[in-house]
PDB file of all heavy atoms in Angstrom:
ATOM      1  N   ARG N 129     120.148  85.731  70.308  1.00 90.00           N
ATOM      2  CA  ARG N 129     121.543  85.306  70.186  1.00 90.00           C
ATOM      3  C   ARG N 129     122.204  86.058  69.041  1.00 90.00           C
ATOM      4  O   ARG N 129     121.611  86.205  67.972  1.00 90.00           O
ATOM      5  CB  ARG N 129     121.620  83.808  69.908  1.00 90.00           C
ATOM      6  CG  ARG N 129     123.004  83.256  70.162  1.00 90.00           C
ATOM      7  CD  ARG N 129     123.104  81.796  69.861  1.00 90.00           C
ATOM      8  NE  ARG N 129     123.903  81.697  68.654  1.00 90.00           N
ATOM      9  CZ  ARG N 129     123.757  80.801  67.711  1.00 90.00           C
ATOM     10  NH1 ARG N 129     122.837  79.893  67.801  1.00 90.00           N
ATOM     11  NH2 ARG N 129     124.514  80.804  66.656  1.00 90.00           N
ATOM     12  N   GLN N 130     123.399  86.555  69.262  1.00 89.00           N
ATOM     13  CA  GLN N 130     124.134  87.278  68.240  1.00 89.00           C
ATOM     14  C   GLN N 130     125.013  86.314  67.446  1.00 89.00           C
ATOM     15  O   GLN N 130     125.679  85.457  68.015  1.00 89.00           O
ATOM     16  CB  GLN N 130     125.008  88.364  68.866  1.00 89.00           C
ATOM     17  CG  GLN N 130     124.211  89.430  69.580  1.00 89.00           C
ATOM     18  CD  GLN N 130     125.076  90.564  70.056  1.00 89.00           C
ATOM     19  OE1 GLN N 130     125.056  91.617  69.457  1.00 89.00           O
ATOM     20  NE2 GLN N 130     125.835  90.354  71.106  1.00 89.00           N
ATOM     21  N   VAL N 131     125.012  86.487  66.130  1.00 85.00           N
ATOM     22  CA  VAL N 131     125.893  85.747  65.231  1.00 85.00           C
ATOM     23  C   VAL N 131     126.778  86.793  64.581  1.00 85.00           C
ATOM     24  O   VAL N 131     126.283  87.714  63.933  1.00 85.00           O
ATOM     25  CB  VAL N 131     125.087  84.977  64.162  1.00 85.00           C
ATOM     26  CG1 VAL N 131     126.022  84.241  63.225  1.00 85.00           C
ATOM     27  CG2 VAL N 131     124.102  84.030  64.811  1.00 85.00           C
ATOM     28  N   PHE N 132     128.092  86.684  64.758  1.00 87.00           N
ATOM     29  CA  PHE N 132     129.001  87.725  64.310  1.00 87.00           C
ATOM     30  C   PHE N 132     129.531  87.438  62.918  1.00 87.00           C
ATOM     31  O   PHE N 132     129.882  86.304  62.588  1.00 87.00           O
ATOM     32  CB  PHE N 132     130.158  87.882  65.294  1.00 87.00           C
ATOM     33  CG  PHE N 132     129.704  88.375  66.636  1.00 87.00           C
ATOM     34  CD1 PHE N 132     129.739  87.550  67.742  1.00 87.00           C
ATOM     35  CD2 PHE N 132     129.208  89.654  66.776  1.00 87.00           C
ATOM     36  CE1 PHE N 132     129.311  87.995  68.978  1.00 87.00           C
ATOM     37  CE2 PHE N 132     128.775  90.115  68.011  1.00 87.00           C
ATOM     38  CZ  PHE N 132     128.831  89.284  69.098  1.00 87.00           C
ATOM     39  N   ILE N 133     129.590  88.491  62.122  1.00 85.00           N
ATOM     40  CA  ILE N 133     130.121  88.415  60.768  1.00 85.00           C
ATOM     41  C   ILE N 133     131.646  88.413  60.862  1.00 85.00           C
ATOM     42  O   ILE N 133     132.217  89.196  61.613  1.00 85.00           O
ATOM     43  CB  ILE N 133     129.637  89.622  59.949  1.00 85.00           C
ATOM     44  CG1 ILE N 133     128.132  89.536  59.771  1.00 85.00           C
ATOM     45  CG2 ILE N 133     130.332  89.697  58.605  1.00 85.00           C
ATOM     46  CD1 ILE N 133     127.540  90.754  59.129  1.00 85.00           C
ATOM     47  N   PRO N 134     132.318  87.575  60.092  1.00 81.00           N
ATOM     48  CA  PRO N 134     133.785  87.599  60.134  1.00 81.00           C
ATOM     49  C   PRO N 134     134.350  88.874  59.525  1.00 81.00           C
ATOM     50  O   PRO N 134     133.669  89.601  58.807  1.00 81.00           O
ATOM     51  CB  PRO N 134     134.185  86.363  59.310  1.00 81.00           C
ATOM     52  CG  PRO N 134     132.997  86.021  58.510  1.00 81.00           C
ATOM     53  CD  PRO N 134     131.803  86.525  59.224  1.00 81.00           C
ATOM     54  N   VAL N 135     135.609  89.131  59.812  1.00 79.00           N
ATOM     55  CA  VAL N 135     136.289  90.318  59.302  1.00 79.00           C
ATOM     56  C   VAL N 135     136.355  90.235  57.775  1.00 79.00           C
ATOM     57  O   VAL N 135     136.502  89.166  57.199  1.00 79.00           O
ATOM     58  CB  VAL N 135     137.707  90.397  59.906  1.00 79.00           C
ATOM     59  CG1 VAL N 135     138.476  91.578  59.363  1.00 79.00           C
ATOM     60  CG2 VAL N 135     137.626  90.465  61.417  1.00 79.00           C
ATOM     61  N   ARG N 136     136.224  91.382  57.121  1.00 75.00           N
ATOM     62  CA  ARG N 136     136.265  91.519  55.668  1.00 75.00           C
ATOM     63  C   ARG N 136     135.141  90.760  54.965  1.00 75.00           C
ATOM     64  O   ARG N 136     135.315  90.264  53.857  1.00 75.00           O
ATOM     65  CB  ARG N 136     137.626  91.089  55.110  1.00 75.00           C
ATOM     66  CG  ARG N 136     138.756  92.012  55.521  1.00 75.00           C
ATOM     67  CD  ARG N 136     140.059  91.637  54.877  1.00 75.00           C
ATOM     68  NE  ARG N 136     140.517  90.291  55.209  1.00 75.00           N
ATOM     69  CZ  ARG N 136     141.203  89.967  56.283  1.00 75.00           C
ATOM     70  NH1 ARG N 136     141.502  90.893  57.160  1.00 75.00           N
ATOM     71  NH2 ARG N 136     141.585  88.736  56.496  1.00 75.00           N
ATOM     72  N   ALA N 137     133.991  90.666  55.605  1.00 73.00           N
ATOM     73  CA  ALA N 137     132.847  90.017  54.966  1.00 73.00           C
ATOM     74  C   ALA N 137     131.578  90.821  55.205  1.00 73.00           C
ATOM     75  O   ALA N 137     130.519  90.282  55.482  1.00 73.00           O
ATOM     76  CB  ALA N 137     132.692  88.590  55.486  1.00 73.00           C
ATOM     77  N   CYS N 138     131.673  92.148  55.074  1.00 73.00           N
ATOM     78  CA  CYS N 138     130.507  92.991  55.334  1.00 73.00           C
ATOM     79  C   CYS N 138     129.400  92.743  54.319  1.00 73.00           C
ATOM     80  O   CYS N 138     128.235  93.044  54.576  1.00 73.00           O
ATOM     81  CB  CYS N 138     130.900  94.460  55.360  1.00 73.00           C
ATOM     82  SG  CYS N 138     131.456  95.079  53.773  1.00 73.00           S
ATOM     83  N   TRP N 139     129.715  92.161  53.179  1.00 72.00           N
ATOM     84  CA  TRP N 139     128.705  91.856  52.173  1.00 72.00           C
ATOM     85  C   TRP N 139     127.705  90.815  52.669  1.00 72.00           C
ATOM     86  O   TRP N 139     126.624  90.661  52.090  1.00 72.00           O
ATOM     87  CB  TRP N 139     129.367  91.382  50.878  1.00 72.00           C
ATOM     88  CG  TRP N 139     130.288  90.223  51.069  1.00 72.00           C
ATOM     89  CD1 TRP N 139     131.623  90.278  51.362  1.00 72.00           C
ATOM     90  CD2 TRP N 139     129.953  88.845  50.994  1.00 72.00           C
ATOM     91  NE1 TRP N 139     132.136  89.010  51.479  1.00 72.00           N
ATOM     92  CE2 TRP N 139     131.132  88.114  51.253  1.00 72.00           C
ATOM     93  CE3 TRP N 139     128.792  88.147  50.731  1.00 72.00           C
ATOM     94  CZ2 TRP N 139     131.167  86.727  51.253  1.00 72.00           C
ATOM     95  CZ3 TRP N 139     128.829  86.765  50.735  1.00 72.00           C
ATOM     96  CH2 TRP N 139     130.005  86.071  50.991  1.00 72.00           C
ATOM     97  N   LEU N 140     128.031  90.114  53.757  1.00 77.00           N
ATOM     98  CA  LEU N 140     127.093  89.141  54.323  1.00 77.00           C
ATOM     99  C   LEU N 140     125.960  89.810  55.093  1.00 77.00           C
ATOM    100  O   LEU N 140     124.957  89.179  55.381  1.00 77.00           O
ATOM    101  CB  LEU N 140     127.835  88.185  55.259  1.00 77.00           C
ATOM    102  CG  LEU N 140     128.779  87.199  54.590  1.00 77.00           C
ATOM    103  CD1 LEU N 140     129.576  86.447  55.635  1.00 77.00           C
ATOM    104  CD2 LEU N 140     128.008  86.245  53.719  1.00 77.00           C
ATOM    105  N   ASN N 141     126.123  91.082  55.445  1.00 80.00           N
ATOM    106  CA  ASN N 141     125.106  91.780  56.220  1.00 80.00           C
ATOM    107  C   ASN N 141     124.140  92.471  55.260  1.00 80.00           C
ATOM    108  O   ASN N 141     124.476  93.464  54.622  1.00 80.00           O
ATOM    109  CB  ASN N 141     125.746  92.804  57.159  1.00 80.00           C
ATOM    110  CG  ASN N 141     124.793  93.289  58.208  1.00 80.00           C
ATOM    111  OD1 ASN N 141     123.583  93.160  58.081  1.00 80.00           O
ATOM    112  ND2 ASN N 141     125.338  93.846  59.262  1.00 80.00           N
ATOM    113  N   LEU N 142     122.928  91.952  55.153  1.00 81.00           N
ATOM    114  CA  LEU N 142     121.935  92.506  54.239  1.00 81.00           C
ATOM    115  C   LEU N 142     121.460  93.882  54.684  1.00 81.00           C
ATOM    116  O   LEU N 142     120.841  94.606  53.901  1.00 81.00           O
ATOM    117  CB  LEU N 142     120.754  91.547  54.107  1.00 81.00           C
ATOM    118  CG  LEU N 142     121.089  90.178  53.520  1.00 81.00           C
ATOM    119  CD1 LEU N 142     119.858  89.314  53.447  1.00 81.00           C
ATOM    120  CD2 LEU N 142     121.708  90.314  52.151  1.00 81.00           C
ATOM    121  N   GLN N 143     121.741  94.263  55.919  1.00 83.00           N
ATOM    122  CA  GLN N 143     121.375  95.597  56.398  1.00 83.00           C
ATOM    123  C   GLN N 143     122.105  96.681  55.607  1.00 83.00           C
ATOM    124  O   GLN N 143     121.592  97.781  55.445  1.00 83.00           O
ATOM    125  CB  GLN N 143     121.690  95.710  57.894  1.00 83.00           C
ATOM    126  CG  GLN N 143     121.451  97.069  58.493  1.00 83.00           C
ATOM    127  CD  GLN N 143     119.989  97.452  58.555  1.00 83.00           C
ATOM    128  OE1 GLN N 143     119.127  96.585  58.518  1.00 83.00           O
ATOM    129  NE2 GLN N 143     119.705  98.729  58.642  1.00 83.00           N
ATOM    130  N   GLU N 144     123.287  96.368  55.086  1.00 84.00           N
ATOM    131  CA  GLU N 144     124.044  97.348  54.302  1.00 84.00           C
ATOM    132  C   GLU N 144     123.238  97.825  53.094  1.00 84.00           C
ATOM    133  O   GLU N 144     123.258  98.994  52.748  1.00 84.00           O
ATOM    134  CB  GLU N 144     125.381  96.750  53.851  1.00 84.00           C
ATOM    135  CG  GLU N 144     126.310  96.341  54.966  1.00 84.00           C
ATOM    136  CD  GLU N 144     126.961  97.509  55.676  1.00 84.00           C
ATOM    137  OE1 GLU N 144     126.877  98.640  55.163  1.00 84.00           O
ATOM    138  OE2 GLU N 144     127.553  97.287  56.737  1.00 84.00           O
ATOM    139  N   GLY N 145     122.532  96.924  52.428  1.00 84.00           N
ATOM    140  CA  GLY N 145     121.686  97.304  51.298  1.00 84.00           C
ATOM    141  C   GLY N 145     120.486  98.132  51.723  1.00 84.00           C
ATOM    142  O   GLY N 145     120.042  99.023  51.001  1.00 84.00           O
TER     143      GLY N 145
END
Side-chain angles (χ1 to χ4, degrees):
R129 196 181 109 214
Q130 297 186 105
V131 179
F132 295 111
I133 294 173
V135 178
R136 293 185 300 275
C138 66
W139 55 271
L140 290 173
N141 195 341
L142 298 180
Q143 176 68 21
E144 299 286 348

